[in-house]
Amino acid sequence: MGMAAVGVDPLSEKAALMRESLHKSQTITDQVVTILGSFDHRLSALETAMRPTQIRTHSIRKAHENIDRTLKAAEVVLAHFDQYHQAEAKILKGPHEDLESYLEAIDKLRSNIQFFGSKKGFKSGDGVVSHANNLLAKAILKLEDEFKQLLSSYSKPVEPERLFDCLPNSMRPSSGSPGHEGDSSGKNHSSNNPSDPQNNSDAVVYTPPALIPPRILPLLHDLTLQMVQAGHQQQLLKIYR
């Protein structure tokens, strides 16, 4: 009996230690749960306290985005205003100094009219479009004068000698006697030879005189297009006739 009692005591001690450890673990667990519950309450209170700040931050961010969009739209409008003033300055100078720049200014003016005409909610747009249309009408009238002046400058009568120079050598009159070519009998033996390549109509090359310099032709073309776009076809034909 004494031996059995001795063997039981260590087991009882171990069981007591285990119960004590479990009790401590339970106590720690309860304390951790209490602490976590406190954290959850504090986080909820902090979230509630920060909600107005979050709302204000969101409103400020939206306001900044709206300001950025407004500034970009304003930059586009100001750029078109600047473009309008540049075109106006060139048009007021007239086309005589620089016709190419003048035509470019008219294109910019048309672009401005289209831009401001599409901005229905822009109060100053109607005034700008009205001024631009009046300026465009004046610009087209100046183009009519320029077109007439260019055609008059390069529409000089052509001397007959210049027209003879446009013919091939076989068709030019001889320098000795008008109306006679080759010999005194008025017959041109070379022209009666069927095998002469100059008698072949496909080989005859005419060189018309250059009445208008090549650099002027593109300007006349662009000038004409501007007048047609403005609906001045009849004035254009009248000037040309």
Side-chain angles (χ1 to χ4, degrees):
M1 295 292 296
M3 299 256 330
V6 173
V8 171
D9 290 337
L11 292 175
S12 299
E13 292 178 359
K14 290 181 178 180
L17 290 174
M18 290 179 66
R19 284 195 298 270
E20 185 179 357
S21 297
L22 290 173
H23 180 71
K24 289 181 179 180
S25 297
Q26 184 64 39
T27 302
I28 293 172
T29 300
D30 293 340
Q31 292 176 351
V32 170
V33 170
T34 302
I35 292 172
L36 291 176
S38 175
F39 281 160
D40 184 62
H41 177 72
R42 292 178 182 177
L43 288 174
S44 298
L46 181 61
E47 183 179 2
T48 303
M50 291 181 63
R51 187 171 292 113
T53 303
Q54 292 175 346
I55 294 173
R56 287 195 298 270
T57 303
H58 179 73
S59 300
I60 292 173
R61 184 170 61 252
K62 286 294 184 181
H64 279 295
E65 292 176 356
N66 292 333
I67 291 172
D68 289 339
R69 284 195 294 267
T70 302
L71 288 176
K72 290 179 180 179
E75 287 177 358
V76 174
V77 173
L78 291 175
H80 278 82
F81 268 115
D82 185 56
Q83 189 180 64
Y84 169 79
H85 289 302
Q86 291 177 1
E88 182 182 29
K90 290 182 179 180
I91 289 174
L92 292 177
K93 288 182 180 180
H96 303 296
E97 295 183 2
D98 189 350
L99 182 56
E100 292 184 10
S101 298
Y102 190 85
L103 294 174
E104 291 176 358
I106 292 179
D107 286 333
K108 291 181 180 179
L109 191 61
R110 292 186 191 276
S111 176
N112 273 269
I113 292 173
Q114 182 178 3
F115 174 79
F116 287 111
S118 64
K119 304 298 180 182
K120 300 301 182 183
F122 187 55
K123 294 182 179 180
S124 300
D126 295 337
V128 174
V129 171
S130 177
H131 287 295
N133 280 322
N134 292 334
L135 184 61
L136 180 61
K138 295 178 181 178
I140 297 300
L141 290 177
K142 291 182 179 180
L143 281 185
E144 289 184 12
D145 295 336
E146 185 68 14
F147 184 72
K148 183 177 181 180
Q149 182 178 352
L150 286 175
L151 289 183
S152 299
S153 300
Y154 297 103
S155 297
K156 303 298 182 182
V158 180
E159 297 297 332
E161 289 77 6
R162 290 191 61 189
L163 295 178
F164 288 139
D165 293 338
C166 300
L167 299 175
N169 292 332
S170 61
M171 302 182 66
R172 295 182 186 178
S174 62
S175 58
S177 176
H180 293 79
E181 297 183 15
D183 56 17
S184 58
S185 64
K187 296 181 179 180
N188 189 336
H189 297 287
S190 60
S191 62
N192 293 327
N193 185 2
S195 62
D196 191 343
Q198 290 182 344
N199 287 325
N200 188 350
S201 59
D202 295 335
V204 176
V205 177
Y206 299 92
T207 307
L211 301 179
I212 300 179
R215 64 181 181 85
I216 301 296
L217 289 176
L219 294 178
L220 286 173
H221 176 266
D222 296 339
L223 190 153
T224 304
L225 287 180
Q226 290 290 356
M227 294 178 63
V228 171
Q229 289 182 16
H232 288 218
Q233 293 93 331
Q234 295 301 323
Q235 294 90 326
L236 184 68
L237 294 175
K238 182 178 179 181
I239 295 172
Y240 186 78
R241 286 197 300 265

